[in-house]
Amino acid sequence: MSRRRLLPALLAVGLLAGCGVPVDDEPRPVQTPPGAFPTPTVSSTADGDGRVDEPFCFVRDDGLVVVKRRVDGLPGVDAHLQHLLAGPDGGERSQGLATALPGTVAVAGATLAGTLATVDVRQAGEETGRNDEVLAFGQIVCSLTQRPDVYSVAFRRDGQPLEVPRADGSLSALPLTAADYRPLLPR
């Protein structure tokens, strides 16, 4: 009777011992599991015409709309942000697109470190009369995170982290992604 109990126990111990992680003499590369990180929606390589998409998020009604302009090469994050600040072009305006940025967020510039874009913001003037900061910050975050080289966006004022509103109205000083503004994007 004791052999009947001992055999399954030894078999279980043997199976468990075989499930361990092997020991290597030196480090080996590890592949990132599929689906662990969001896949960028913008290709970093040019299509057959040699041009790439420069993505923007503009405002329509109370939401954000992604627009892609064909350009010769994707500019740096600061130049991309300046293009966003210029607002929709004539054709985009005729489609009902607008921007919440002028008068809401005073952008001083942007830098990229790894996949984190940091946007420097100045104090906006008191005369703006705008209260759509959620859309304005959403435009910046959603536009920059559409790029293949940007995963998240942080904001700072005078060198200090700046709390900005997310789509749900909560404030965050942490780096933001398009997921923070998903309720504003079309489904």
Side-chain angles (χ1 to χ4, degrees), residues 20-176:
V21 176
V23 177
D24 292 338
D25 291 335
E26 53 189 72
R28 61 179 162 163
V30 177
Q31 294 284 343
T32 304
F37 300 100
T39 321
T41 58
V42 177
S43 172
S44 61
T45 59
D47 291 334
D49 66 356
R51 296 172 59 88
V52 296
D53 290 332
E54 183 178 14
F56 299 97
C57 287
F58 291 121
V59 176
R60 180 181 292 140
D61 301 323
D62 291 329
L64 299 174
V65 176
V66 178
V67 173
K68 296 178 182 176
R69 295 179 187 162
R70 299 293 288 165
V71 294
D72 291 331
L74 193 59
V77 293
D78 189 56
H80 189 161
L81 187 56
Q82 296 307 315
H83 296 165
L84 175 66
L85 292 170
D89 63 23
E92 293 159 347
R93 282 192 304 275
S94 70
Q95 296 174 17
L97 299 177
T99 182
L101 287 164
T104 304
V105 179
V107 175
T111 57
L112 183 64
T115 61
L116 172 67
T118 301
V119 177
D120 288 300
V121 178
R122 295 186 303 264
Q123 182 69 39
E126 297 298 321
E127 73 287 345
T128 63
R130 302 213 44 161
N131 61 358
D132 45 5
E133 284 185 330
V134 171
L135 288 171
F137 285 106
Q139 277 188 258
I140 294 170
V141 172
C142 292
S143 294
L144 294 180
T145 58
Q146 292 286 316
R147 297 170 56 98
D149 56 347
V150 176
Y151 177 74
S152 59
V153 179
F155 294 88
R156 66 182 176 201
R157 179 182 293 143
D158 299 326
Q160 298 300 312
L162 178 66
E163 287 187 327
V164 300
R166 299 176 344 165
D168 65 4
S170 66
L171 295 177
S172 177
L174 298 174
L176 302 169

